[in-house]
Amino acid sequence: MTGFRQRRLLIAGLVSGPFALLATRVAAQTRSIWSAREAHDALQADTARLIDVRSREEWQETGVGAGIWPISMHEDRFADRLFAARDLAGDRTVGLICATGGRSAALLDALRQAGYPGFADISEGMLGSRHGPGWLAKGLPVVPVETALASLPNDLA
């Protein structure tokens, strides 16, 4: 390989490197299945909003992930509150988390089939699943349910 060709490949690699990194980050945000760590990082980067769809009893047992909106799929007005959360999220993805990823996956599937984009499943859940150890085991921050409920935007309360 000639020196010119080697330099050209090196320059092309250096120039495309940041674009490849950006593409990786964008791909993580556009995928519909996230790990607990990816969801936490997206929440911290303000590129996502997260909703915990578990029951109040489950929230009481484990707490709610810090910054996650507790909107139980087991309560009245769930659909209204879910779509209000989607509206409040703007162009951010809305991640759905439950205990082990079963309910959030089923909900994501129903939303997709109904033609609603912009949602993702946090497949590990709070407690872990075959997809990973979960929010709690990864040591991601948790707040008491009362704190999480008090921090809900008025449109979601």
Side-chain angles (χ1 to χ4, degrees):
M1 186 180 294
T2 67
F4 174 74
R5 187 158 192 266
Q6 285 176 322
R7 284 189 302 271
R8 199 169 109 212
L9 289 173
L10 174 64
I11 290 170
L14 291 174
V15 169
S16 67
F19 294 111
L21 181 58
L22 177 62
T24 300
R25 288 183 185 156
V26 169
Q29 294 302 312
T30 58
R31 284 194 350 254
S32 61
I33 297 177
W34 294 352
S35 70
R37 173 69 61 195
E38 288 170 326
H40 176 263
D41 291 349
L43 185 62
Q44 294 301 302
D46 197 30
T47 58
R49 294 290 183 254
L50 306 181
I51 298 173
D52 188 331
V53 300
R54 297 177 300 152
S55 69
R56 286 181 186 260
E57 292 79 18
E58 290 172 293
W59 299 333
Q60 288 290 345
E61 289 175 17
T62 64
V64 177
I68 296 179
W69 292 336
I71 303 174
S72 177
M73 66 187 304
H74 307 284
E75 296 180 2
D76 293 338
R77 299 184 33 248
F78 172 70
D80 294 336
R81 295 172 73 208
L82 175 68
F83 289 113
R86 177 71 204 113
D87 291 344
L88 287 173
D91 63 350
R92 297 171 194 91
T93 299
V94 176
L96 306 168
I97 191 167
C98 63
T100 61
R103 286 171 285 185
S104 57
L107 180 56
L108 177 65
D109 188 48
L111 289 164
R112 275 186 174 168
Q113 287 182 16
Y116 294 106
F119 292 93
D121 172 29
I122 304 163
S123 60
E124 296 178 47
M126 290 295 288
L127 305 177
S129 71
R130 64 182 174 86
H131 298 287
W135 190 278
L136 297 174
K138 286 187 173 178
L140 298 173
V142 177
V143 298
V145 65
E146 295 78 14
T147 303
L149 289 169
S151 69
L152 273 174
N154 288 337
D155 292 351
L156 303 181

